[in-house]
Amino acid sequence: YNVGRSLTTVFNVLLSYLLLKQTTSLYALLACGVIIGGFWLGVDQEGAEGTLSWPGIFFGILASLCVSLNAIYTKKVLPVVDGSIWRLTFYNNVNACVLFFPLMILLGEFRTLYHFDKLGNPGFWGMMTLGGVFGFAIGYVTGLQIKFTSPLTHNVSGTAKACAQTVLAVIYFEETKSFLWWTSNLMVLGGSFAYTWVKGLEMRKVQEDPNVKSSERNETGV
């Protein structure tokens, strides 16, 4: 998981430049470097505790590439739907419904549904509907964040959220972690806050100076 999260930031920087021609400023790159360094330190600590999984690393790298591409292509296709997040979210959900059918047939999920004893339970459908509403809302807000900032900014905020959740879980379950483990998480949170501060200054500069170069606008994701 740590490998996946750290490499998502790396893939975002590289693929944003290759696919969107969107550059990243030096100070923002330094903040990303702190985030990546924090996650690699966390990976090292997982290895020291004997909980590091090589298949997990492989799928973490694959997942990080997919997460990066999702955010980048969201930014890229927004002009096709006239910048409408509602329309893009609707299309994504319709496509998902269509694509799930062959997968359900291939994996035998219809047989599982046939024998499922909760299909007629109103409570089950109520929770499913509530989950669908929240899932749609998360997708909509994610699209808004990517639209008004950049795929990299969206990824960094997600990284900070995941790191904060990890820390809260350790505190809640009263687990004991090493000093370097705590250092790695503080590096991730500190780098995320630094990135947010740098991007805030850059976006303010773009808004205040109408003569700013288009290349600088690309750097801030505006």
Side-chain angles (χ1 to χ4, degrees):
Y1 180 79
N2 283 335
V3 171
R5 270 297 178 180
S6 61
L7 289 181
T8 301
T9 306
V10 177
F11 281 130
N12 253 284
V13 173
L14 294 176
L15 295 176
S16 291
Y17 178 75
L18 292 174
L19 298 178
L20 299 178
K21 306 303 179 186
Q22 196 173 77
T23 56
T24 305
S25 67
L26 176 61
Y27 290 116
L29 284 174
L30 289 174
C32 290
V34 174
I35 296 171
I36 295 166
F39 269 120
W40 277 111
L41 181 58
V43 170
D44 178 71
Q45 290 305 295
E46 292 292 337
E49 294 178 7
T51 56
L52 192 63
S53 163
W54 286 107
I57 290 177
F58 171 76
F59 286 109
I61 293 172
L62 188 63
S64 65
L65 176 62
C66 293
V67 168
S68 298
L69 286 173
N70 176 68
I72 288 168
Y73 273 103
T74 295
K75 187 82 169 183
K76 192 171 184 177
V77 303
L78 273 172
V80 179
V81 292
D82 300 322
S84 173
I85 301 298
W86 280 110
R87 193 183 303 174
L88 180 63
T89 306
F90 174 76
Y91 286 155
N92 283 341
N93 279 273
V94 170
N95 289 337
C97 290
V98 173
L99 291 172
F100 266 121
F101 271 105
L103 288 174
M104 291 176 71
I105 295 172
L106 184 65
L107 299 175
E109 294 294 332
F110 283 107
R111 190 182 306 108
T112 304
L113 279 174
Y114 180 78
H115 294 289
F116 187 57
D117 60 353
K118 303 287 186 187
L119 280 180
N121 189 324
F124 168 77
W125 286 107
M127 294 302 295
M128 290 292 289
T129 302
L130 187 63
V133 170
F134 279 114
F136 187 90
I138 290 172
Y140 180 76
V141 172
T142 296
L144 277 180
Q145 188 180 42
I146 295 171
K147 176 182 178 180
F148 289 110
T149 57
S150 69
L152 181 57
T153 299
H154 164 69
N155 170 64
V156 170
S157 68
T159 297
K161 177 213 62 160
C163 185
Q165 284 178 321
T166 302
V167 172
L168 288 173
V170 169
I171 294 172
Y172 179 80
F173 290 109
E174 299 180 351
E175 296 178 353
T176 302
K177 295 291 184 179
S178 67
F179 172 77
L180 288 178
W181 187 92
W182 285 103
T183 302
S184 71
N185 282 276
L186 289 176
M187 285 176 65
V188 173
L189 290 174
S192 301
F193 284 125
Y195 178 88
T196 303
W197 181 66
V198 168
K199 298 300 282 187
L201 291 178
E202 291 176 356
M203 294 183 74
R204 194 178 308 152
K205 179 183 177 183
V206 170
Q207 292 169 354
E208 292 175 353
D209 187 359
N211 298 318
V212 69
K213 296 178 181 179
S214 59
S215 60
E216 293 182 19
R217 289 181 178 271
N218 285 336
E219 285 183 358
T220 59
V222 176

mmCIF file of all heavy atoms in Angstrom, residues 6-50:
data_model
loop_
_atom_site.group_PDB
_atom_site.id
_atom_site.type_symbol
_atom_site.label_atom_id
_atom_site.label_comp_id
_atom_site.label_asym_id
_atom_site.label_seq_id
_atom_site.Cartn_x
_atom_site.Cartn_y
_atom_site.Cartn_z
ATOM 1 N N SER A 6 3.128 5.973 -2.800
ATOM 2 C CA SER A 6 4.286 6.802 -3.129
ATOM 3 C C SER A 6 4.485 6.890 -4.634
ATOM 4 O O SER A 6 4.788 7.952 -5.173
ATOM 5 C CB SER A 6 5.543 6.245 -2.458
ATOM 6 O OG SER A 6 5.826 4.944 -2.912
ATOM 7 N N LEU A 7 4.313 5.762 -5.339
ATOM 8 C CA LEU A 7 4.537 5.774 -6.778
ATOM 9 C C LEU A 7 3.409 6.457 -7.534
ATOM 10 O O LEU A 7 3.598 6.862 -8.679
ATOM 11 C CB LEU A 7 4.733 4.340 -7.279
ATOM 12 C CG LEU A 7 6.051 3.696 -6.874
ATOM 13 C CD1 LEU A 7 6.158 2.293 -7.448
ATOM 14 C CD2 LEU A 7 7.234 4.530 -7.333
ATOM 15 N N THR A 8 2.228 6.588 -6.937
ATOM 16 C CA THR A 8 1.162 7.347 -7.581
ATOM 17 C C THR A 8 1.609 8.781 -7.797
ATOM 18 O O THR A 8 1.353 9.381 -8.846
ATOM 19 C CB THR A 8 -0.118 7.320 -6.725
ATOM 20 O OG1 THR A 8 -0.531 5.971 -6.554
ATOM 21 C CG2 THR A 8 -1.246 8.094 -7.397
ATOM 22 N N THR A 9 2.305 9.355 -6.818
ATOM 23 C CA THR A 9 2.819 10.717 -6.942
ATOM 24 C C THR A 9 3.848 10.795 -8.073
ATOM 25 O O THR A 9 3.828 11.723 -8.887
ATOM 26 C CB THR A 9 3.475 11.163 -5.622
ATOM 27 O OG1 THR A 9 2.536 10.988 -4.564
ATOM 28 C CG2 THR A 9 3.887 12.620 -5.685
ATOM 29 N N VAL A 10 4.742 9.804 -8.143
ATOM 30 C CA VAL A 10 5.753 9.780 -9.202
ATOM 31 C C VAL A 10 5.095 9.677 -10.572
ATOM 32 O O VAL A 10 5.412 10.443 -11.496
ATOM 33 C CB VAL A 10 6.725 8.590 -8.998
ATOM 34 C CG1 VAL A 10 7.725 8.508 -10.133
ATOM 35 C CG2 VAL A 10 7.455 8.727 -7.672
ATOM 36 N N PHE A 11 4.164 8.726 -10.722
ATOM 37 C CA PHE A 11 3.484 8.549 -11.998
ATOM 38 C C PHE A 11 2.690 9.795 -12.386
ATOM 39 O O PHE A 11 2.605 10.142 -13.566
ATOM 40 C CB PHE A 11 2.546 7.340 -11.938
ATOM 41 C CG PHE A 11 3.246 6.018 -12.097
ATOM 42 C CD1 PHE A 11 3.027 4.986 -11.201
ATOM 43 C CD2 PHE A 11 4.124 5.814 -13.142
ATOM 44 C CE1 PHE A 11 3.667 3.764 -11.347
ATOM 45 C CE2 PHE A 11 4.777 4.593 -13.298
ATOM 46 C CZ PHE A 11 4.547 3.567 -12.399
ATOM 47 N N ASN A 12 2.099 10.470 -11.397
ATOM 48 C CA ASN A 12 1.335 11.676 -11.693
ATOM 49 C C ASN A 12 2.207 12.762 -12.282
ATOM 50 O O ASN A 12 1.824 13.432 -13.240
ATOM 51 C CB ASN A 12 0.652 12.199 -10.419
ATOM 52 C CG ASN A 12 -0.835 11.947 -10.438
ATOM 53 O OD1 ASN A 12 -1.571 12.627 -11.118
ATOM 54 N ND2 ASN A 12 -1.274 10.949 -9.700
ATOM 55 N N VAL A 13 3.383 12.972 -11.697
ATOM 56 C CA VAL A 13 4.298 13.997 -12.215
ATOM 57 C C VAL A 13 4.731 13.665 -13.642
ATOM 58 O O VAL A 13 4.686 14.509 -14.542
ATOM 59 C CB VAL A 13 5.531 14.131 -11.295
ATOM 60 C CG1 VAL A 13 6.571 15.062 -11.928
ATOM 61 C CG2 VAL A 13 5.122 14.672 -9.929
ATOM 62 N N LEU A 14 5.125 12.394 -13.874
ATOM 63 C CA LEU A 14 5.620 11.990 -15.198
ATOM 64 C C LEU A 14 4.515 11.989 -16.251
ATOM 65 O O LEU A 14 4.683 12.554 -17.337
ATOM 66 C CB LEU A 14 6.246 10.596 -15.101
ATOM 67 C CG LEU A 14 7.515 10.472 -14.264
ATOM 68 C CD1 LEU A 14 7.960 9.012 -14.183
ATOM 69 C CD2 LEU A 14 8.645 11.325 -14.842
ATOM 70 N N LEU A 15 3.369 11.379 -15.917
ATOM 71 C CA LEU A 15 2.305 11.244 -16.909
ATOM 72 C C LEU A 15 1.582 12.565 -17.161
ATOM 73 O O LEU A 15 1.072 12.785 -18.267
ATOM 74 C CB LEU A 15 1.312 10.171 -16.457
ATOM 75 C CG LEU A 15 1.886 8.750 -16.385
ATOM 76 C CD1 LEU A 15 0.846 7.777 -15.825
ATOM 77 C CD2 LEU A 15 2.354 8.278 -17.747
ATOM 78 N N SER A 16 1.528 13.454 -16.153
ATOM 79 C CA SER A 16 0.933 14.779 -16.378
ATOM 80 C C SER A 16 1.738 15.539 -17.415
ATOM 81 O O SER A 16 1.188 16.266 -18.249
ATOM 82 C CB SER A 16 0.882 15.576 -15.070
ATOM 83 O OG SER A 16 -0.044 15.025 -14.176
ATOM 84 N N TYR A 17 3.052 15.365 -17.369
ATOM 85 C CA TYR A 17 3.913 16.041 -18.353
ATOM 86 C C TYR A 17 3.784 15.390 -19.728
ATOM 87 O O TYR A 17 3.671 16.082 -20.743
ATOM 88 C CB TYR A 17 5.370 15.999 -17.897
ATOM 89 C CG TYR A 17 6.321 16.629 -18.895
ATOM 90 C CD1 TYR A 17 6.396 18.022 -19.039
ATOM 91 C CD2 TYR A 17 7.117 15.830 -19.700
ATOM 92 C CE1 TYR A 17 7.247 18.593 -19.972
ATOM 93 C CE2 TYR A 17 7.979 16.401 -20.632
ATOM 94 C CZ TYR A 17 8.046 17.777 -20.759
ATOM 95 O OH TYR A 17 8.892 18.342 -21.678
ATOM 96 N N LEU A 18 3.752 14.052 -19.774
ATOM 97 C CA LEU A 18 3.713 13.349 -21.052
ATOM 98 C C LEU A 18 2.357 13.466 -21.745
ATOM 99 O O LEU A 18 2.287 13.646 -22.966
ATOM 100 C CB LEU A 18 4.057 11.871 -20.840
ATOM 101 C CG LEU A 18 5.496 11.561 -20.413
ATOM 102 C CD1 LEU A 18 5.647 10.068 -20.104
ATOM 103 C CD2 LEU A 18 6.496 11.982 -21.493
ATOM 104 N N LEU A 19 1.270 13.357 -20.980
ATOM 105 C CA LEU A 19 -0.075 13.316 -21.567
ATOM 106 C C LEU A 19 -0.761 14.679 -21.605
ATOM 107 O O LEU A 19 -1.532 14.955 -22.523
ATOM 108 C CB LEU A 19 -0.945 12.321 -20.799
ATOM 109 C CG LEU A 19 -0.465 10.858 -20.812
ATOM 110 C CD1 LEU A 19 -1.386 9.988 -19.971
ATOM 111 C CD2 LEU A 19 -0.372 10.319 -22.229
ATOM 112 N N LEU A 20 -0.500 15.515 -20.584
ATOM 113 C CA LEU A 20 -1.170 16.820 -20.505
ATOM 114 C C LEU A 20 -0.242 17.985 -20.808
ATOM 115 O O LEU A 20 -0.702 19.131 -20.871
ATOM 116 C CB LEU A 20 -1.781 17.017 -19.102
ATOM 117 C CG LEU A 20 -2.839 16.011 -18.655
ATOM 118 C CD1 LEU A 20 -3.285 16.330 -17.236
ATOM 119 C CD2 LEU A 20 -4.035 16.024 -19.605
ATOM 120 N N LYS A 21 1.054 17.698 -20.958
ATOM 121 C CA LYS A 21 2.065 18.758 -21.135
ATOM 122 C C LYS A 21 2.002 19.753 -19.981
ATOM 123 O O LYS A 21 2.198 20.948 -20.148
ATOM 124 C CB LYS A 21 1.867 19.491 -22.471
ATOM 125 C CG LYS A 21 1.836 18.578 -23.681
ATOM 126 C CD LYS A 21 3.099 17.731 -23.799
ATOM 127 C CE LYS A 21 3.055 16.793 -25.003
ATOM 128 N NZ LYS A 21 4.210 15.866 -25.053
ATOM 129 N N GLN A 22 1.737 19.238 -18.781
ATOM 130 C CA GLN A 22 1.569 20.070 -17.587
ATOM 131 C C GLN A 22 2.809 19.915 -16.712
ATOM 132 O O GLN A 22 3.081 18.839 -16.185
ATOM 133 C CB GLN A 22 0.320 19.618 -16.830
ATOM 134 C CG GLN A 22 -0.186 20.615 -15.810
ATOM 135 C CD GLN A 22 -1.515 20.144 -15.245
ATOM 136 O OE1 GLN A 22 -1.568 19.260 -14.410
ATOM 137 N NE2 GLN A 22 -2.605 20.731 -15.719
ATOM 138 N N THR A 23 3.574 20.999 -16.596
ATOM 139 C CA THR A 23 4.812 20.941 -15.817
ATOM 140 C C THR A 23 4.536 21.211 -14.341
ATOM 141 O O THR A 23 3.469 21.714 -13.975
ATOM 142 C CB THR A 23 5.821 21.971 -16.339
ATOM 143 O OG1 THR A 23 5.224 23.275 -16.305
ATOM 144 C CG2 THR A 23 6.242 21.645 -17.768
ATOM 145 N N THR A 24 5.526 20.887 -13.513
ATOM 146 C CA THR A 24 5.417 21.070 -12.066
ATOM 147 C C THR A 24 6.601 21.888 -11.589
ATOM 148 O O THR A 24 7.739 21.637 -11.998
ATOM 149 C CB THR A 24 5.405 19.709 -11.342
ATOM 150 O OG1 THR A 24 4.360 18.900 -11.895
ATOM 151 C CG2 THR A 24 5.165 19.883 -9.860
ATOM 152 N N SER A 25 6.339 22.883 -10.739
ATOM 153 C CA SER A 25 7.406 23.772 -10.278
ATOM 154 C C SER A 25 8.399 23.033 -9.385
ATOM 155 O O SER A 25 8.097 21.966 -8.842
ATOM 156 C CB SER A 25 6.809 24.956 -9.516
ATOM 157 O OG SER A 25 6.225 24.518 -8.307
ATOM 158 N N LEU A 26 9.583 23.635 -9.229
ATOM 159 C CA LEU A 26 10.646 23.008 -8.437
ATOM 160 C C LEU A 26 10.223 22.799 -6.992
ATOM 161 O O LEU A 26 10.444 21.724 -6.417
ATOM 162 C CB LEU A 26 11.910 23.874 -8.502
ATOM 163 C CG LEU A 26 13.086 23.400 -7.637
ATOM 164 C CD1 LEU A 26 13.549 22.021 -8.070
ATOM 165 C CD2 LEU A 26 14.234 24.407 -7.705
ATOM 166 N N TYR A 27 9.605 23.830 -6.381
ATOM 167 C CA TYR A 27 9.218 23.713 -4.972
ATOM 168 C C TYR A 27 8.136 22.650 -4.772
ATOM 169 O O TYR A 27 8.141 21.931 -3.770
ATOM 170 C CB TYR A 27 8.736 25.069 -4.449
ATOM 171 C CG TYR A 27 9.844 26.079 -4.315
ATOM 172 C CD1 TYR A 27 9.849 27.239 -5.074
ATOM 173 C CD2 TYR A 27 10.908 25.871 -3.444
ATOM 174 C CE1 TYR A 27 10.874 28.167 -4.967
ATOM 175 C CE2 TYR A 27 11.933 26.792 -3.318
ATOM 176 C CZ TYR A 27 11.918 27.933 -4.085
ATOM 177 O OH TYR A 27 12.938 28.842 -3.972
ATOM 178 N N ALA A 28 7.215 22.547 -5.744
ATOM 179 C CA ALA A 28 6.193 21.509 -5.653
ATOM 180 C C ALA A 28 6.820 20.123 -5.789
ATOM 181 O O ALA A 28 6.429 19.178 -5.096
ATOM 182 C CB ALA A 28 5.132 21.714 -6.735
ATOM 183 N N LEU A 29 7.828 20.004 -6.667
ATOM 184 C CA LEU A 29 8.538 18.733 -6.823
ATOM 185 C C LEU A 29 9.281 18.353 -5.546
ATOM 186 O O LEU A 29 9.332 17.179 -5.176
ATOM 187 C CB LEU A 29 9.520 18.814 -7.993
ATOM 188 C CG LEU A 29 8.911 18.742 -9.399
ATOM 189 C CD1 LEU A 29 10.003 18.974 -10.444
ATOM 190 C CD2 LEU A 29 8.230 17.399 -9.634
ATOM 191 N N LEU A 30 9.870 19.352 -4.875
ATOM 192 C CA LEU A 30 10.567 19.079 -3.616
ATOM 193 C C LEU A 30 9.599 18.564 -2.560
ATOM 194 O O LEU A 30 9.916 17.636 -1.803
ATOM 195 C CB LEU A 30 11.271 20.353 -3.120
ATOM 196 C CG LEU A 30 12.489 20.804 -3.932
ATOM 197 C CD1 LEU A 30 13.002 22.150 -3.412
ATOM 198 C CD2 LEU A 30 13.595 19.761 -3.881
ATOM 199 N N ALA A 31 8.397 19.163 -2.505
ATOM 200 C CA ALA A 31 7.378 18.698 -1.553
ATOM 201 C C ALA A 31 6.961 17.260 -1.877
ATOM 202 O O ALA A 31 6.801 16.426 -0.976
ATOM 203 C CB ALA A 31 6.160 19.623 -1.588
ATOM 204 N N CYS A 32 6.816 16.955 -3.182
ATOM 205 C CA CYS A 32 6.488 15.583 -3.583
ATOM 206 C C CYS A 32 7.607 14.625 -3.195
ATOM 207 O O CYS A 32 7.356 13.483 -2.811
ATOM 208 C CB CYS A 32 6.252 15.522 -5.093
ATOM 209 S SG CYS A 32 4.740 16.341 -5.643
ATOM 210 N N GLY A 33 8.858 15.105 -3.299
ATOM 211 C CA GLY A 33 9.993 14.276 -2.905
ATOM 212 C C GLY A 33 9.949 13.906 -1.436
ATOM 213 O O GLY A 33 10.285 12.779 -1.054
ATOM 214 N N VAL A 34 9.504 14.855 -0.586
ATOM 215 C CA VAL A 34 9.372 14.575 0.850
ATOM 216 C C VAL A 34 8.295 13.510 1.075
ATOM 217 O O VAL A 34 8.472 12.585 1.889
ATOM 218 C CB VAL A 34 9.021 15.872 1.623
ATOM 219 C CG1 VAL A 34 8.727 15.554 3.088
ATOM 220 C CG2 VAL A 34 10.167 16.873 1.529
ATOM 221 N N ILE A 35 7.179 13.623 0.336
ATOM 222 C CA ILE A 35 6.095 12.637 0.457
ATOM 223 C C ILE A 35 6.598 11.249 0.077
ATOM 224 O O ILE A 35 6.384 10.262 0.796
ATOM 225 C CB ILE A 35 4.906 13.039 -0.442
ATOM 226 C CG1 ILE A 35 4.309 14.366 0.025
ATOM 227 C CG2 ILE A 35 3.835 11.944 -0.439
ATOM 228 C CD1 ILE A 35 3.275 14.936 -0.934
ATOM 229 N N ILE A 36 7.286 11.168 -1.062
ATOM 230 C CA ILE A 36 7.787 9.878 -1.537
ATOM 231 C C ILE A 36 8.807 9.300 -0.559
ATOM 232 O O ILE A 36 8.798 8.109 -0.243
ATOM 233 C CB ILE A 36 8.397 10.038 -2.939
ATOM 234 C CG1 ILE A 36 7.307 10.433 -3.939
ATOM 235 C CG2 ILE A 36 9.087 8.742 -3.387
ATOM 236 C CD1 ILE A 36 7.845 10.942 -5.255
ATOM 237 N N GLY A 37 9.697 10.173 -0.051
ATOM 238 C CA GLY A 37 10.690 9.724 0.917
ATOM 239 C C GLY A 37 10.040 9.177 2.177
ATOM 240 O O GLY A 37 10.487 8.166 2.738
ATOM 241 N N GLY A 38 8.965 9.821 2.621
ATOM 242 C CA GLY A 38 8.244 9.346 3.797
ATOM 243 C C GLY A 38 7.640 7.976 3.579
ATOM 244 O O GLY A 38 7.709 7.098 4.448
ATOM 245 N N PHE A 39 7.070 7.753 2.398
ATOM 246 C CA PHE A 39 6.478 6.457 2.116
ATOM 247 C C PHE A 39 7.528 5.363 1.980
ATOM 248 O O PHE A 39 7.329 4.239 2.430
ATOM 249 C CB PHE A 39 5.620 6.521 0.851
ATOM 250 C CG PHE A 39 4.188 6.848 1.149
ATOM 251 C CD1 PHE A 39 3.594 7.972 0.619
ATOM 252 C CD2 PHE A 39 3.432 6.032 1.975
ATOM 253 C CE1 PHE A 39 2.273 8.282 0.897
ATOM 254 C CE2 PHE A 39 2.111 6.331 2.259
ATOM 255 C CZ PHE A 39 1.531 7.457 1.719
ATOM 256 N N TRP A 40 8.668 5.682 1.378
ATOM 257 C CA TRP A 40 9.719 4.673 1.254
ATOM 258 C C TRP A 40 10.286 4.304 2.620
ATOM 259 O O TRP A 40 10.656 3.159 2.859
ATOM 260 C CB TRP A 40 10.819 5.170 0.321
ATOM 261 C CG TRP A 40 10.487 4.956 -1.110
ATOM 262 C CD1 TRP A 40 10.208 5.915 -2.037
ATOM 263 C CD2 TRP A 40 10.363 3.702 -1.792
ATOM 264 N NE1 TRP A 40 9.904 5.334 -3.248
ATOM 265 C CE2 TRP A 40 9.998 3.992 -3.128
ATOM 266 C CE3 TRP A 40 10.510 2.378 -1.404
ATOM 267 C CZ2 TRP A 40 9.792 2.986 -4.063
ATOM 268 C CZ3 TRP A 40 10.298 1.382 -2.354
ATOM 269 C CH2 TRP A 40 9.954 1.687 -3.659
ATOM 270 N N LEU A 41 10.345 5.287 3.504
ATOM 271 C CA LEU A 41 10.774 4.975 4.871
ATOM 272 C C LEU A 41 9.757 4.053 5.540
ATOM 273 O O LEU A 41 10.118 3.126 6.279
ATOM 274 C CB LEU A 41 10.933 6.265 5.676
ATOM 275 C CG LEU A 41 11.396 6.115 7.136
ATOM 276 C CD1 LEU A 41 12.739 5.393 7.195
ATOM 277 C CD2 LEU A 41 11.490 7.490 7.813
ATOM 278 N N GLY A 42 8.468 4.295 5.263
ATOM 279 C CA GLY A 42 7.426 3.419 5.797
ATOM 280 C C GLY A 42 7.533 2.006 5.253
ATOM 281 O O GLY A 42 7.333 1.024 5.974
ATOM 282 N N VAL A 43 7.863 1.886 3.956
ATOM 283 C CA VAL A 43 8.062 0.572 3.348
ATOM 284 C C VAL A 43 9.215 -0.157 4.036
ATOM 285 O O VAL A 43 9.144 -1.356 4.330
ATOM 286 C CB VAL A 43 8.342 0.712 1.834
ATOM 287 C CG1 VAL A 43 8.801 -0.618 1.243
ATOM 288 C CG2 VAL A 43 7.102 1.196 1.109
ATOM 289 N N ASP A 44 10.300 0.596 4.292
ATOM 290 C CA ASP A 44 11.461 0.005 4.968
ATOM 291 C C ASP A 44 11.074 -0.516 6.350
ATOM 292 O O ASP A 44 11.514 -1.597 6.764
ATOM 293 C CB ASP A 44 12.559 1.058 5.099
ATOM 294 C CG ASP A 44 13.777 0.529 5.838
ATOM 295 O OD1 ASP A 44 14.497 -0.305 5.271
ATOM 296 O OD2 ASP A 44 13.999 0.961 6.989
ATOM 297 N N GLN A 45 10.226 0.232 7.056
ATOM 298 C CA GLN A 45 9.809 -0.198 8.392
ATOM 299 C C GLN A 45 8.894 -1.414 8.334
ATOM 300 O O GLN A 45 8.956 -2.290 9.201
ATOM 301 C CB GLN A 45 9.100 0.966 9.107
ATOM 302 C CG GLN A 45 10.030 2.098 9.487
ATOM 303 C CD GLN A 45 11.185 1.610 10.326
ATOM 304 O OE1 GLN A 45 11.013 1.145 11.444
ATOM 305 N NE2 GLN A 45 12.400 1.708 9.784
ATOM 306 N N GLU A 46 8.043 -1.479 7.287
ATOM 307 C CA GLU A 46 7.207 -2.679 7.126
ATOM 308 C C GLU A 46 8.095 -3.898 6.867
ATOM 309 O O GLU A 46 7.831 -5.002 7.362
ATOM 310 C CB GLU A 46 6.228 -2.477 5.958
ATOM 311 C CG GLU A 46 5.155 -1.431 6.214
ATOM 312 C CD GLU A 46 4.168 -1.849 7.276
ATOM 313 O OE1 GLU A 46 4.019 -3.066 7.514
ATOM 314 O OE2 GLU A 46 3.556 -0.968 7.888
ATOM 315 N N GLY A 47 9.155 -3.697 6.077
ATOM 316 C CA GLY A 47 10.078 -4.787 5.809
ATOM 317 C C GLY A 47 10.803 -5.232 7.069
ATOM 318 O O GLY A 47 11.022 -6.430 7.287
ATOM 319 N N ALA A 48 11.160 -4.269 7.910
ATOM 320 C CA ALA A 48 11.849 -4.602 9.160
ATOM 321 C C ALA A 48 10.954 -5.396 10.102
ATOM 322 O O ALA A 48 11.419 -6.225 10.882
ATOM 323 C CB ALA A 48 12.323 -3.322 9.842
ATOM 324 N N GLU A 49 9.632 -5.146 10.029
ATOM 325 C CA GLU A 49 8.678 -5.858 10.885
ATOM 326 C C GLU A 49 8.248 -7.192 10.276
ATOM 327 O O GLU A 49 7.471 -7.935 10.875
ATOM 328 C CB GLU A 49 7.449 -4.990 11.128
ATOM 329 C CG GLU A 49 7.751 -3.728 11.945
ATOM 330 C CD GLU A 49 6.522 -2.862 12.140
ATOM 331 O OE1 GLU A 49 5.424 -3.314 11.753
ATOM 332 O OE2 GLU A 49 6.655 -1.749 12.674
ATOM 333 N N GLY A 50 8.743 -7.482 9.060
ATOM 334 C CA GLY A 50 8.411 -8.758 8.412
ATOM 335 C C GLY A 50 7.036 -8.802 7.788
ATOM 336 O O GLY A 50 6.504 -9.874 7.543
#
